[in-house]
Amino acid sequence: MLSKQQLIEYSEDARKNYVNHISIDCVVFGFHEGQMKVLLLKTNDEEKWYLPGGFVLNEEHIDNAAVRILQERTGLDKIFLQQFRVFGDPDRSKFHNDMYVGMLPKEENWFSGRFISIGYYALVDFFDVTPHPDQFSELCAWRDLDDMPEMQLDHEKIYKSALDALRLQLNYQPIGYNLMPREFTMPELQKLYETILGKKLDRRNFQRRILGFGILNRSEEPRKGGAHKAPYLYSFDMENYQNALTEGFKGGW
Amino acid sequence: MLSKQQLIEYSEDARKNYVNHISIDCVVFGFHEGQMKVLLLKTNDEEKWYLPGGFVLNEEHIDNAAVRILQERTGLDKIFLQQFRVFGDPDRSKFHNDMYVGMLPKEENWFSGRFISIGYYALVDFFDVTPHPDQFSELCAWRDLDDMPEMQLDHEKIYKSALDALRLQLNYQPIGYNLMPREFTMPELQKLYETILGKKLDRRNFQRRILGFGILNRSEEPRKGGAHKAPYLYSFDMENYQNALTEGFKGGW
DNA sequence: TTTCATAGTGTATTAAGTACACAATTGTAA
DNA sequence: TTACAATTGTGTACTTAATACACTATGAAA
């Protein structure tokens, strides 16, 4: 245990040596017209895009901070959010570091510090989102996953890492409630899985497997009006879905 | 983009509203005599124990910070470390908050702040560790996983969360190189798995499965001298082991 | 030399994953 | 109106992994 004098010295040292800011970066996935989308921001002066992000308020839970940040960008208030990892490379700094670093002396400039970022990914319904730029940006928009622009700092690494985490999640948790409309066809759901995984799946085996999870309800009436054979419509059984979210799919050992 | 005036205001606000300290907490797992152990610290004045932890230096990678902290506690320099999640409840604060909070005015006391903690878990060889107390504690010792003491703050939540992460890891990565001696018997390895999972496994099925991973070499000579039938000795095939670490075991989808 | 605890090995059954083919529906073009 | 193309729905054989379970072998101690 420290004496008072030691505590004073420790506190002084800590204030000098442990000066790290925490930020939050969010990878928001949406799904539209068979394409996986990511919500990105851009200033007009810079070519590079960046992820929606922000900071944690003094008395705020970090998960709430992520929710708050995404509310501001998307207008949504119920968001599926998953913390997936922390990015703590000392070379990384907040996106506007370059931009603002010359404008003020280092001590006065918040952005001259070093930032450790907590990565979250979110799954949202594309149609529910109204993208709002933040105070640093002029543009907030969806970008296709297979046509991603050049990005600030390590944001490419972050969104790729989020995608990896999402793919891992597919193996032991249900996915889709937050990404699909209320009713959807089996081929549409399959397309979602194929997009996330980046590969084709067998129709018949996909159907058997996903139905085996017991998280889908098939409605009586098939979808009509479209070309070709009318497909059945499905929706998620929320009770079983929630249960599968907490329980997980396979036991493993 | 912000004007200079806006940047000044933003920086001032940020310095007031985003005052969060980052700490690192490590759950160090060891294995000895068929028991899973966790390395814990304790002061003499307090009954409660806490996890080894520390802070991130200004220009330090967070992973290196965790390595540095564990070097100081264990003497080890090559440690298997895995970041598993961030704990950001505003109620949590650094372990010595209660202890030191009255000793200095709030502004001068590092421990009066709010702490966001990055959780790491480590797997180490029990015999390689020489526990060193830190500057706040008088005691650093191994505790049995099934006889854990009362702990400071949310440290119980953290180590349980680490255990969950470790159990998940069993499903898609090899485990054991960092926890077992160089040579070991199949029943010993099985005991490790059983301890982590908290349940019994079938000997024959365990052996088939673990051998199927192709990460073990069986030595020519069985272990002699012990009671009962002499068991074979195994060691990890490091090339395949490393490969399995990065590749993972099952593809899932 | 018998007994007991532990180690090594194999086989049958069940469940899950994979590969693959044909029939049904609906709009469109001949 | 009819043939066609595109898409959907369904079933079955095959392979692989998971599970359940029983016998034989060894070595120390009684």
Side-chain angles (χ1 to χ4, degrees), chain B residues 8-42:
Chain B
I8 291 172
E9 284 165 18
Y10 190 96
S11 290
E12 274 177 15
D13 280 354
R15 248 170 254 290
K16 273 186 233 140
N17 297 321
Y18 306 134
V19 187
N20 302 305
H21 299 161
I22 298 175
S23 62
I24 285 185
D25 283 309
C26 300
V27 183
V28 184
F29 291 110
F31 189 66
H32 180 54
E33 289 182 344
Q35 275 285 334
M36 202 70 181
K37 311 267 186 180
V38 180
L39 197 66
L40 294 183
L41 296 158
K42 195 176 93 67

mmCIF file of all heavy atoms in Angstrom, chain B residues 8-42:
data_model
loop_
_atom_site.group_PDB
_atom_site.id
_atom_site.type_symbol
_atom_site.label_atom_id
_atom_site.label_comp_id
_atom_site.label_asym_id
_atom_site.label_seq_id
_atom_site.Cartn_x
_atom_site.Cartn_y
_atom_site.Cartn_z
ATOM 1 N N ILE B 8 -10.740 24.789 -30.799
ATOM 2 C CA ILE B 8 -10.380 25.194 -29.434
ATOM 3 C C ILE B 8 -11.503 24.818 -28.470
ATOM 4 O O ILE B 8 -11.276 24.210 -27.416
ATOM 5 C CB ILE B 8 -10.109 26.715 -29.366
ATOM 6 C CG1 ILE B 8 -8.822 27.040 -30.128
ATOM 7 C CG2 ILE B 8 -10.014 27.194 -27.919
ATOM 8 C CD1 ILE B 8 -8.558 28.517 -30.288
ATOM 9 N N GLU B 9 -12.722 25.151 -28.867
ATOM 10 C CA GLU B 9 -13.857 24.847 -28.001
ATOM 11 C C GLU B 9 -14.027 23.347 -27.832
ATOM 12 O O GLU B 9 -14.281 22.852 -26.730
ATOM 13 C CB GLU B 9 -15.145 25.456 -28.576
ATOM 14 C CG GLU B 9 -15.221 26.966 -28.360
ATOM 15 C CD GLU B 9 -16.279 27.625 -29.225
ATOM 16 O OE1 GLU B 9 -17.166 26.891 -29.725
ATOM 17 O OE2 GLU B 9 -16.210 28.853 -29.403
ATOM 18 N N TYR B 10 -13.881 22.621 -28.941
ATOM 19 C CA TYR B 10 -14.034 21.174 -28.883
ATOM 20 C C TYR B 10 -13.004 20.566 -27.937
ATOM 21 O O TYR B 10 -13.329 19.717 -27.103
ATOM 22 C CB TYR B 10 -13.888 20.566 -30.285
ATOM 23 C CG TYR B 10 -14.270 19.112 -30.336
ATOM 24 C CD1 TYR B 10 -15.547 18.726 -30.723
ATOM 25 C CD2 TYR B 10 -13.367 18.116 -29.980
ATOM 26 C CE1 TYR B 10 -15.920 17.396 -30.750
ATOM 27 C CE2 TYR B 10 -13.729 16.783 -29.999
ATOM 28 C CZ TYR B 10 -15.007 16.428 -30.389
ATOM 29 O OH TYR B 10 -15.371 15.110 -30.412
ATOM 30 N N SER B 11 -11.772 21.024 -28.066
ATOM 31 C CA SER B 11 -10.704 20.479 -27.230
ATOM 32 C C SER B 11 -10.966 20.759 -25.758
ATOM 33 O O SER B 11 -10.758 19.900 -24.898
ATOM 34 C CB SER B 11 -9.347 21.070 -27.643
ATOM 35 O OG SER B 11 -8.968 20.580 -28.909
ATOM 36 N N GLU B 12 -11.430 21.961 -25.466
ATOM 37 C CA GLU B 12 -11.722 22.305 -24.074
ATOM 38 C C GLU B 12 -12.837 21.438 -23.511
ATOM 39 O O GLU B 12 -12.740 20.907 -22.407
ATOM 40 C CB GLU B 12 -12.112 23.782 -23.959
ATOM 41 C CG GLU B 12 -10.902 24.696 -23.821
ATOM 42 C CD GLU B 12 -11.309 26.164 -23.781
ATOM 43 O OE1 GLU B 12 -12.500 26.447 -23.570
ATOM 44 O OE2 GLU B 12 -10.423 27.008 -23.993
ATOM 45 N N ASP B 13 -13.894 21.307 -24.296
ATOM 46 C CA ASP B 13 -15.008 20.461 -23.868
ATOM 47 C C ASP B 13 -14.555 19.018 -23.653
ATOM 48 O O ASP B 13 -14.893 18.375 -22.663
ATOM 49 C CB ASP B 13 -16.119 20.470 -24.920
ATOM 50 C CG ASP B 13 -16.978 21.720 -24.811
ATOM 51 O OD1 ASP B 13 -16.773 22.489 -23.854
ATOM 52 O OD2 ASP B 13 -17.835 21.916 -25.682
ATOM 53 N N ALA B 14 -13.794 18.539 -24.609
ATOM 54 C CA ALA B 14 -13.360 17.143 -24.553
ATOM 55 C C ALA B 14 -12.559 16.875 -23.289
ATOM 56 O O ALA B 14 -12.750 15.864 -22.617
ATOM 57 C CB ALA B 14 -12.524 16.806 -25.784
ATOM 58 N N ARG B 15 -11.688 17.803 -22.953
ATOM 59 C CA ARG B 15 -10.863 17.632 -21.775
ATOM 60 C C ARG B 15 -11.702 17.546 -20.497
ATOM 61 O O ARG B 15 -11.290 16.972 -19.498
ATOM 62 C CB ARG B 15 -9.866 18.779 -21.670
ATOM 63 C CG ARG B 15 -8.446 18.348 -21.879
ATOM 64 C CD ARG B 15 -7.515 19.516 -22.009
ATOM 65 N NE ARG B 15 -7.100 19.674 -23.395
ATOM 66 C CZ ARG B 15 -6.293 18.815 -24.015
ATOM 67 N NH1 ARG B 15 -5.853 17.742 -23.390
ATOM 68 N NH2 ARG B 15 -5.948 18.999 -25.266
ATOM 69 N N LYS B 16 -12.881 18.151 -20.556
ATOM 70 C CA LYS B 16 -13.770 18.080 -19.390
ATOM 71 C C LYS B 16 -14.671 16.842 -19.419
ATOM 72 O O LYS B 16 -14.897 16.202 -18.406
ATOM 73 C CB LYS B 16 -14.657 19.331 -19.348
ATOM 74 C CG LYS B 16 -14.028 20.502 -18.619
ATOM 75 C CD LYS B 16 -15.040 21.647 -18.493
ATOM 76 C CE LYS B 16 -14.456 22.951 -19.018
ATOM 77 N NZ LYS B 16 -15.410 23.756 -19.787
ATOM 78 N N ASN B 17 -15.172 16.531 -20.598
ATOM 79 C CA ASN B 17 -16.229 15.523 -20.688
ATOM 80 C C ASN B 17 -15.737 14.103 -20.941
ATOM 81 O O ASN B 17 -16.457 13.139 -20.727
ATOM 82 C CB ASN B 17 -17.215 15.903 -21.795
ATOM 83 C CG ASN B 17 -17.909 17.206 -21.497
ATOM 84 O OD1 ASN B 17 -18.252 17.477 -20.353
ATOM 85 N ND2 ASN B 17 -18.092 18.023 -22.522
ATOM 86 N N TYR B 18 -14.530 14.000 -21.482
ATOM 87 C CA TYR B 18 -14.031 12.671 -21.835
ATOM 88 C C TYR B 18 -12.809 12.337 -21.003
ATOM 89 O O TYR B 18 -11.733 12.082 -21.518
ATOM 90 C CB TYR B 18 -13.671 12.612 -23.320
ATOM 91 C CG TYR B 18 -14.780 13.021 -24.247
ATOM 92 C CD1 TYR B 18 -14.527 13.889 -25.308
ATOM 93 C CD2 TYR B 18 -16.066 12.519 -24.088
ATOM 94 C CE1 TYR B 18 -15.546 14.258 -26.187
ATOM 95 C CE2 TYR B 18 -17.090 12.888 -24.960
ATOM 96 C CZ TYR B 18 -16.823 13.758 -25.998
ATOM 97 O OH TYR B 18 -17.824 14.119 -26.867
ATOM 98 N N VAL B 19 -12.973 12.337 -19.681
ATOM 99 C CA VAL B 19 -11.836 12.062 -18.810
ATOM 100 C C VAL B 19 -11.934 10.626 -18.317
ATOM 101 O O VAL B 19 -12.537 10.345 -17.290
ATOM 102 C CB VAL B 19 -11.814 13.023 -17.606
ATOM 103 C CG1 VAL B 19 -10.529 12.827 -16.821
ATOM 104 C CG2 VAL B 19 -11.941 14.448 -18.078
ATOM 105 N N ASN B 20 -11.389 9.735 -19.095
ATOM 106 C CA ASN B 20 -11.440 8.332 -18.716
ATOM 107 C C ASN B 20 -10.034 7.763 -18.721
ATOM 108 O O ASN B 20 -9.282 7.992 -19.654
ATOM 109 C CB ASN B 20 -12.306 7.560 -19.714
ATOM 110 C CG ASN B 20 -13.705 8.121 -19.787
ATOM 111 O OD1 ASN B 20 -14.389 8.230 -18.786
ATOM 112 N ND2 ASN B 20 -14.134 8.505 -20.989
ATOM 113 N N HIS B 21 -9.716 7.024 -17.689
ATOM 114 C CA HIS B 21 -8.421 6.357 -17.682
ATOM 115 C C HIS B 21 -8.568 4.945 -18.211
ATOM 116 O O HIS B 21 -9.592 4.312 -18.028
ATOM 117 C CB HIS B 21 -7.850 6.295 -16.262
ATOM 118 C CG HIS B 21 -7.625 7.646 -15.659
ATOM 119 N ND1 HIS B 21 -7.492 7.845 -14.320
ATOM 120 C CD2 HIS B 21 -7.494 8.864 -16.227
ATOM 121 C CE1 HIS B 21 -7.300 9.127 -14.078
ATOM 122 N NE2 HIS B 21 -7.300 9.764 -15.222
ATOM 123 N N ILE B 22 -7.511 4.473 -18.833
ATOM 124 C CA ILE B 22 -7.503 3.104 -19.336
ATOM 125 C C ILE B 22 -6.624 2.251 -18.444
ATOM 126 O O ILE B 22 -5.499 2.622 -18.144
ATOM 127 C CB ILE B 22 -6.937 3.046 -20.758
ATOM 128 C CG1 ILE B 22 -7.817 3.845 -21.694
ATOM 129 C CG2 ILE B 22 -6.839 1.608 -21.226
ATOM 130 C CD1 ILE B 22 -7.255 3.934 -23.068
ATOM 131 N N SER B 23 -7.157 1.120 -18.051
ATOM 132 C CA SER B 23 -6.302 0.180 -17.334
ATOM 133 C C SER B 23 -6.356 -1.166 -18.040
ATOM 134 O O SER B 23 -7.175 -1.401 -18.914
ATOM 135 C CB SER B 23 -6.752 0.036 -15.876
ATOM 136 O OG SER B 23 -8.054 -0.487 -15.818
ATOM 137 N N ILE B 24 -5.466 -2.012 -17.639
ATOM 138 C CA ILE B 24 -5.420 -3.366 -18.180
ATOM 139 C C ILE B 24 -5.536 -4.332 -17.015
ATOM 140 O O ILE B 24 -4.880 -4.136 -15.984
ATOM 141 C CB ILE B 24 -4.116 -3.596 -18.971
ATOM 142 C CG1 ILE B 24 -4.213 -2.873 -20.311
ATOM 143 C CG2 ILE B 24 -3.831 -5.072 -19.155
ATOM 144 C CD1 ILE B 24 -3.053 -3.112 -21.223
ATOM 145 N N ASP B 25 -6.400 -5.318 -17.151
ATOM 146 C CA ASP B 25 -6.486 -6.356 -16.131
ATOM 147 C C ASP B 25 -6.226 -7.706 -16.776
ATOM 148 O O ASP B 25 -6.773 -8.010 -17.838
ATOM 149 C CB ASP B 25 -7.867 -6.339 -15.460
ATOM 150 C CG ASP B 25 -7.992 -5.195 -14.465
ATOM 151 O OD1 ASP B 25 -7.105 -5.058 -13.614
ATOM 152 O OD2 ASP B 25 -8.971 -4.430 -14.555
ATOM 153 N N CYS B 26 -5.410 -8.493 -16.117
ATOM 154 C CA CYS B 26 -5.004 -9.774 -16.693
ATOM 155 C C CYS B 26 -5.491 -10.940 -15.834
ATOM 156 O O CYS B 26 -5.349 -10.924 -14.611
ATOM 157 C CB CYS B 26 -3.489 -9.861 -16.794
ATOM 158 S SG CYS B 26 -2.756 -8.573 -17.812
ATOM 159 N N VAL B 27 -6.050 -11.917 -16.502
ATOM 160 C CA VAL B 27 -6.417 -13.158 -15.834
ATOM 161 C C VAL B 27 -5.390 -14.203 -16.256
ATOM 162 O O VAL B 27 -5.384 -14.645 -17.395
ATOM 163 C CB VAL B 27 -7.840 -13.598 -16.220
ATOM 164 C CG1 VAL B 27 -8.229 -14.855 -15.457
ATOM 165 C CG2 VAL B 27 -8.835 -12.478 -15.952
ATOM 166 N N VAL B 28 -4.522 -14.543 -15.330
ATOM 167 C CA VAL B 28 -3.433 -15.474 -15.631
ATOM 168 C C VAL B 28 -3.825 -16.870 -15.181
ATOM 169 O O VAL B 28 -3.981 -17.114 -13.985
ATOM 170 C CB VAL B 28 -2.133 -15.048 -14.940
ATOM 171 C CG1 VAL B 28 -0.997 -15.972 -15.337
ATOM 172 C CG2 VAL B 28 -1.803 -13.610 -15.266
ATOM 173 N N PHE B 29 -3.986 -17.762 -16.147
ATOM 174 C CA PHE B 29 -4.350 -19.138 -15.821
ATOM 175 C C PHE B 29 -3.105 -20.012 -15.778
ATOM 176 O O PHE B 29 -2.264 -19.961 -16.671
ATOM 177 C CB PHE B 29 -5.300 -19.715 -16.868
ATOM 178 C CG PHE B 29 -6.665 -19.099 -16.864
ATOM 179 C CD1 PHE B 29 -7.076 -18.286 -17.916
ATOM 180 C CD2 PHE B 29 -7.552 -19.334 -15.826
ATOM 181 C CE1 PHE B 29 -8.343 -17.719 -17.932
ATOM 182 C CE2 PHE B 29 -8.822 -18.774 -15.821
ATOM 183 C CZ PHE B 29 -9.219 -17.964 -16.884
ATOM 184 N N GLY B 30 -3.004 -20.805 -14.742
ATOM 185 C CA GLY B 30 -1.964 -21.816 -14.666
ATOM 186 C C GLY B 30 -2.606 -23.142 -14.327
ATOM 187 O O GLY B 30 -3.772 -23.200 -13.918
ATOM 188 N N PHE B 31 -1.850 -24.213 -14.486
ATOM 189 C CA PHE B 31 -2.407 -25.538 -14.266
ATOM 190 C C PHE B 31 -1.408 -26.347 -13.459
ATOM 191 O O PHE B 31 -0.233 -26.448 -13.822
ATOM 192 C CB PHE B 31 -2.680 -26.194 -15.622
ATOM 193 C CG PHE B 31 -3.446 -27.475 -15.528
ATOM 194 C CD1 PHE B 31 -4.762 -27.477 -15.081
ATOM 195 C CD2 PHE B 31 -2.859 -28.674 -15.898
ATOM 196 C CE1 PHE B 31 -5.484 -28.654 -15.006
ATOM 197 C CE2 PHE B 31 -3.584 -29.868 -15.825
ATOM 198 C CZ PHE B 31 -4.895 -29.851 -15.382
ATOM 199 N N HIS B 32 -1.882 -26.880 -12.342
ATOM 200 C CA HIS B 32 -0.960 -27.604 -11.475
ATOM 201 C C HIS B 32 -1.729 -28.643 -10.672
ATOM 202 O O HIS B 32 -2.745 -28.337 -10.064
ATOM 203 C CB HIS B 32 -0.249 -26.623 -10.535
ATOM 204 C CG HIS B 32 0.721 -27.287 -9.602
ATOM 205 N ND1 HIS B 32 1.732 -28.119 -10.055
ATOM 206 C CD2 HIS B 32 0.843 -27.246 -8.250
ATOM 207 C CE1 HIS B 32 2.425 -28.557 -9.023
ATOM 208 N NE2 HIS B 32 1.904 -28.053 -7.917
ATOM 209 N N GLU B 33 -1.207 -29.849 -10.669
ATOM 210 C CA GLU B 33 -1.825 -30.957 -9.932
ATOM 211 C C GLU B 33 -3.310 -31.083 -10.204
ATOM 212 O O GLU B 33 -4.141 -31.177 -9.298
ATOM 213 C CB GLU B 33 -1.564 -30.788 -8.422
ATOM 214 C CG GLU B 33 -0.109 -31.035 -8.062
ATOM 215 C CD GLU B 33 0.148 -30.911 -6.559
ATOM 216 O OE1 GLU B 33 -0.713 -30.341 -5.863
ATOM 217 O OE2 GLU B 33 1.209 -31.375 -6.107
ATOM 218 N N GLY B 34 -3.627 -31.052 -11.462
ATOM 219 C CA GLY B 34 -5.015 -31.239 -11.860
ATOM 220 C C GLY B 34 -5.942 -30.107 -11.467
ATOM 221 O O GLY B 34 -7.163 -30.249 -11.497
ATOM 222 N N GLN B 35 -5.358 -28.984 -11.103
ATOM 223 C CA GLN B 35 -6.174 -27.838 -10.692
ATOM 224 C C GLN B 35 -5.869 -26.637 -11.569
ATOM 225 O O GLN B 35 -4.701 -26.341 -11.847
ATOM 226 C CB GLN B 35 -5.851 -27.466 -9.235
ATOM 227 C CG GLN B 35 -6.610 -28.252 -8.208
ATOM 228 C CD GLN B 35 -8.050 -27.798 -8.095
ATOM 229 O OE1 GLN B 35 -8.380 -26.659 -8.388
ATOM 230 N NE2 GLN B 35 -8.921 -28.705 -7.683
ATOM 231 N N MET B 36 -6.917 -25.955 -11.977
ATOM 232 C CA MET B 36 -6.738 -24.694 -12.688
ATOM 233 C C MET B 36 -6.503 -23.602 -11.648
ATOM 234 O O MET B 36 -7.221 -23.520 -10.652
ATOM 235 C CB MET B 36 -8.000 -24.388 -13.489
ATOM 236 C CG MET B 36 -7.772 -23.451 -14.644
ATOM 237 S SD MET B 36 -6.826 -24.252 -15.942
ATOM 238 C CE MET B 36 -6.711 -22.894 -17.085
ATOM 239 N N LYS B 37 -5.502 -22.771 -11.918
ATOM 240 C CA LYS B 37 -5.137 -21.725 -10.956
ATOM 241 C C LYS B 37 -5.230 -20.357 -11.618
ATOM 242 O O LYS B 37 -5.023 -20.231 -12.833
ATOM 243 C CB LYS B 37 -3.689 -21.925 -10.493
ATOM 244 C CG LYS B 37 -3.354 -23.339 -10.058
ATOM 245 C CD LYS B 37 -3.535 -23.514 -8.582
ATOM 246 C CE LYS B 37 -3.067 -24.884 -8.136
ATOM 247 N NZ LYS B 37 -3.237 -25.085 -6.707
ATOM 248 N N VAL B 38 -5.479 -19.359 -10.802
ATOM 249 C CA VAL B 38 -5.474 -17.978 -11.278
ATOM 250 C C VAL B 38 -4.566 -17.164 -10.364
ATOM 251 O O VAL B 38 -4.621 -17.313 -9.140
ATOM 252 C CB VAL B 38 -6.894 -17.378 -11.286
ATOM 253 C CG1 VAL B 38 -6.873 -15.942 -11.775
ATOM 254 C CG2 VAL B 38 -7.824 -18.212 -12.144
ATOM 255 N N LEU B 39 -3.748 -16.324 -10.981
ATOM 256 C CA LEU B 39 -2.806 -15.514 -10.214
ATOM 257 C C LEU B 39 -3.507 -14.264 -9.680
ATOM 258 O O LEU B 39 -4.059 -13.484 -10.449
ATOM 259 C CB LEU B 39 -1.631 -15.111 -11.104
ATOM 260 C CG LEU B 39 -0.368 -14.616 -10.406
ATOM 261 C CD1 LEU B 39 0.271 -15.721 -9.598
ATOM 262 C CD2 LEU B 39 0.605 -14.061 -11.423
ATOM 263 N N LEU B 40 -3.472 -14.100 -8.362
ATOM 264 C CA LEU B 40 -4.176 -12.960 -7.748
ATOM 265 C C LEU B 40 -3.266 -12.194 -6.797
ATOM 266 O O LEU B 40 -2.252 -12.709 -6.337
ATOM 267 C CB LEU B 40 -5.394 -13.453 -6.967
ATOM 268 C CG LEU B 40 -6.528 -14.081 -7.777
ATOM 269 C CD1 LEU B 40 -7.683 -14.437 -6.858
ATOM 270 C CD2 LEU B 40 -6.992 -13.149 -8.881
ATOM 271 N N LEU B 41 -3.682 -10.965 -6.507
ATOM 272 C CA LEU B 41 -2.945 -10.094 -5.605
ATOM 273 C C LEU B 41 -3.823 -9.690 -4.429
ATOM 274 O O LEU B 41 -5.056 -9.695 -4.548
ATOM 275 C CB LEU B 41 -2.496 -8.820 -6.334
ATOM 276 C CG LEU B 41 -1.508 -9.027 -7.488
ATOM 277 C CD1 LEU B 41 -1.552 -7.846 -8.433
ATOM 278 C CD2 LEU B 41 -0.110 -9.225 -6.953
ATOM 279 N N LYS B 42 -3.180 -9.317 -3.353
ATOM 280 C CA LYS B 42 -3.925 -8.888 -2.181
ATOM 281 C C LYS B 42 -3.053 -7.963 -1.328
ATOM 282 O O LYS B 42 -1.853 -8.163 -1.226
ATOM 283 C CB LYS B 42 -4.326 -10.101 -1.336
ATOM 284 C CG LYS B 42 -5.399 -9.808 -0.301
ATOM 285 C CD LYS B 42 -5.814 -11.080 0.415
ATOM 286 C CE LYS B 42 -5.014 -11.254 1.682
ATOM 287 N NZ LYS B 42 -5.314 -10.227 2.692
#
